[in-house]
Amino acid sequence: MRVFVTETRKLLGLRPAVGAVVAALVLTPLLTWVNARSVRAAIEGVRADVDADPAGLGVSEALLSVAASAALGVLVVWQEYRPMPEELGGGHQAAMSELAVPARIRRCLAKYVLAALAGGLVTSLALAEGTITARRVLGPHAPAMTTAQWQQDGRVVLYAVFLSLFAAGATLVLRNGLVPMVYLVASSTVVSVGFLLAMRWSWAWYLLPDALGPALIRAGEEPGMPSIPAAAAAMAGWVLLGCGAGAVFDRYRDV
């Protein structure tokens, strides 16, 4: 428990981590408010250039928090291997962590647990903000919360947890967070390489974790898209591969 608390304090002391959380929790309700106003105007006949279907409002905008979750997963590990200032002796923080907690597997597990909790919590809060904002703006036009909607929200949170864990494992393997950060954040916000490949070849749905996210959240919308259980199982496999490889590499490498 003490190791987990220490890792949490280190993460909260990182400005990029705090910035990622703040961006997710500020941009989600803001974008939802803008989109919900347009949808309400379309429902009331004020605008004809906008789809009047309110389904998905608050959820699609909350996907920004998935990118924040990936960033947090990277930063949980990357903080250990960033160069320290020369006035502090140079090197990196991993050497100090090794002296404080020699059991590497404990540190590794603490980082994975923190990555999962951070990703799940941020995404849950963003979903709550988006849902509340959408319902307030839509007013009487807001659709009823159905079981299917709650299940979809749960799958978004699960995707965020999976992606945060995979990001942590990949960063631990590489001992550098630049590539995982750029790829996973970009694939969650700008363009998903895995999704584009899956549009061409059906087997590519299982090729990369970022292709499995849309399948986990919106199964069946695209040809060849795997079912929700299949997407969840494949994503769990990627997480086990990434986290397992990270733990093994960390165990047998020098600090």
Side-chain angles (χ1 to χ4, degrees):
M1 187 64 182
R2 184 171 57 184
V3 180
F4 175 78
V5 172
T6 301
E7 295 295 336
T8 302
R9 287 175 177 172
K10 289 193 290 188
L11 181 64
L12 294 177
L14 294 176
R15 291 182 180 178
V18 176
V21 173
V22 171
L25 298 183
V26 170
L27 290 177
T28 296
L30 179 61
L31 291 175
T32 303
W33 179 79
V34 172
N35 293 336
R37 282 177 58 87
S38 298
V39 171
R40 177 162 182 167
I43 293 175
E44 295 176 347
V46 178
R47 296 184 60 176
D49 59 332
V50 177
D51 187 359
D53 185 7
L57 275 176
V59 176
S60 56
E61 294 82 3
L63 290 177
L64 285 172
S65 63
V66 175
S69 300
L72 291 174
V74 170
L75 290 169
V76 164
V77 176
W78 196 11
Q79 61 178 330
E80 300 280 0
Y81 302 102
R82 295 186 307 162
M84 296 180 67
E86 290 298 330
E87 55 268 22
L88 296 179
H92 46 70
Q93 193 172 344
M96 299 175 61
S97 299
E98 180 79 7
L99 293 174
V101 185
R104 292 189 182 183
I105 190 64
R106 288 175 57 195
R107 296 203 317 272
C108 183
L109 290 176
K111 290 179 184 298
Y112 288 160
V113 172
L114 177 58
L117 290 178
L121 179 60
V122 170
T123 302
S124 297
L125 291 174
L127 279 169
E129 287 182 332
T131 300
I132 292 172
T133 301
R135 298 186 70 80
R136 284 186 177 275
V137 174
L138 291 175
H141 306 294
M145 288 294 294
T146 62
T147 302
Q149 181 65 55
W150 286 111
Q151 291 174 344
Q152 186 183 53
D153 289 352
R155 294 196 299 272
V156 173
V157 174
L158 182 62
Y159 176 40
V161 171
F162 278 158
L163 203 62
S164 184
L165 282 169
F166 179 78
T171 305
L172 196 55
V173 169
L174 299 173
R175 287 197 171 184
N176 187 296
L178 184 59
V179 173
M181 179 76 79
V182 171
Y183 180 81
L184 293 176
V185 172
S187 66
S188 301
T189 55
V190 183
V191 60
S192 169
V193 175
F195 186 79
L196 292 178
L197 291 175
M199 293 293 95
R200 179 66 177 83
W201 298 289
S202 59
W203 51 263
W205 285 112
Y206 303 93
L207 184 64
L208 294 168
D210 57 289
L212 290 165
L216 184 62
I217 298 170
R218 301 184 297 270
E221 288 190 0
E222 301 292 341
M225 182 179 281
S227 64
I228 292 173
M235 192 70 181
W238 274 105
V239 169
L240 289 174
L241 177 63
C243 291
V248 171
F249 275 60
D250 187 58
R251 173 66 178 81
Y252 292 102
R253 285 191 300 200
D254 293 332
V255 178

